[in-house]
Amino acid sequence: LSAASPAEWVWLEGKRARFSSVVVREGELLLTGGLKHDCSLLSPRTGRWRDGPSMPTNRRLHCAAQLGGLSVICGGLWDGGALSSTLLLPAGDTAQWAPGCEITAARVGAGGAVVAAADASAPRVLLVGGSDDDGTELDSCELYDAAADRWSMQEARLPQPMRCCAASIAGGSAVLAVPQSDKKRCALLDVRSSSARWQPMASRESERCFHAVAAVGEHSVVMLGGWETDFEERTDTVQLYDARADRWSERAEWRLPAPSSSHCAVLID
């Protein structure tokens, strides 16, 4: 979807991958994991996909983040079990995936967001919620320091356990957690304070799950598609959250070309 007006969705070369994750890496889209998918790269300029480096452990319902030139994926589900492993892909066309530090608690369906650090050149990843190997939803959060290759459990816990998507806003100084459930509220964390706590935020215009979210601009998050209440049907609708007003609104002009779920989204500058 181009930011040009009027906005219009444009179909790209076919690629199917459910429960995957995506980041922008060196000007391309890096798509990892999912059902019947390993690793692919998309050139926004040509609209064409090519195979990326194969992951040593495939996964779905995992998190992905881009820290400078380093691509990070963690957690997820494979062969019926929750994963605690982290994989790192350094910069460069010939780079290969390598193992990183394991997360403290194996989790599936967690949200992942890049957050600012005191050193502006060393952003970190905040891993939010998810569920464990037994399917029990979690309220805990972990922070990844790439320079030290270390995960650490955080004191701040979600207002309620949830699987969720997460997006960074305000230059990485805050994170919005958007639940993958129709019975839970969004939550916001100001990461600038070590004593900060997650705060419940406004409910969405219509509840849904298995949607995609992406930060757009400094203070907004877009939510696209998903399954509506009780898995009755998929939707093509799009909602926009304004953190300054703490309000969700439907954006009819951004409707998806077709109802969609179990997908991912990312903003390309």
Side-chain angles (χ1 to χ4, degrees), residues 11-267:
W11 290 101
L12 300 177
E13 181 183 273
K15 173 67 66 174
R16 293 185 179 273
R18 297 176 61 210
F19 304 119
S20 300
S21 291
V22 64
V23 296
V24 177
R25 171 186 168 86
E26 299 175 348
E28 295 185 307
L29 270 65
L30 174 67
L31 184 71
T32 56
L35 295 172
K36 300 181 179 180
H37 176 261
D38 185 351
C39 180
S40 303
L41 290 156
L42 171 73
S43 168
R45 182 179 59 82
T46 65
R48 294 187 177 278
W49 291 94
R50 60 185 175 86
D51 290 340
S54 182
M55 296 187 296
T57 306
N58 207 338
R59 60 196 69 207
R60 61 184 184 273
L61 291 167
H62 58 288
C63 291
Q66 190 69 27
L67 298 177
L70 180 70
S71 304
V72 181
I73 64 172
C74 58
L77 179 70
W78 199 251
D79 288 337
L83 299 174
S84 60
S85 60
T86 299
L87 295 176
L88 308 174
L89 185 65
D93 292 339
T94 61
Q96 299 295 315
W97 292 100
C101 176
E102 292 199 350
I103 55 180
T104 305
R107 56 185 79 208
V108 178
V114 176
V115 296
D119 180 355
S121 65
R124 300 165 294 175
V125 180
L126 185 68
L127 191 61
V128 181
S131 60
D132 64 16
D133 209 25
D134 296 325
T136 302
E137 292 188 329
L138 306 171
D139 63 359
S140 60
C141 304
E142 301 186 41
L143 189 68
Y144 181 65
D145 181 342
D149 187 26
R150 181 178 63 240
W151 286 97
S152 56
M153 196 69 77
Q154 301 298 288
E155 290 187 14
R157 290 180 174 268
L158 291 164
Q160 53 191 328
M162 65 173 81
R163 287 193 183 197
C164 64
C165 300
S168 299
I169 56 177
S173 64
V175 174
L176 181 73
V178 182
Q180 293 279 10
S181 167
D182 59 357
K183 299 177 177 65
K184 298 181 179 180
R185 293 175 63 183
C186 300
L188 186 74
L189 178 70
D190 184 342
V191 300
R192 293 171 295 185
S193 171
S194 59
S195 60
R197 295 291 181 266
W198 287 94
Q199 301 297 321
M201 306 304 287
S203 298
R204 294 165 286 183
E205 290 269 307
S206 62
E207 303 299 336
R208 60 189 70 183
C209 59
F210 294 128
H211 48 270
V213 304
V216 287
E218 277 289 292
H219 303 284
S220 300
V221 174
V222 66
M223 180 176 67
L224 307 100
W227 282 96
E228 294 189 328
T229 304
D230 298 325
F231 292 91
E232 292 177 354
E233 61 180 351
R234 293 187 297 174
T235 181
D236 61 358
T237 58
V238 176
Q239 293 182 38
L240 184 72
Y241 177 73
D242 183 341
R244 293 164 296 186
D246 187 26
R247 182 177 65 241
W248 288 93
S249 59
E250 189 157 322
R251 300 301 295 262
E253 71 274 24
W254 293 350
R255 268 185 189 269
L256 296 167
S260 183
S261 67
S262 310
H263 52 289
C264 47
V266 68
L267 176 69

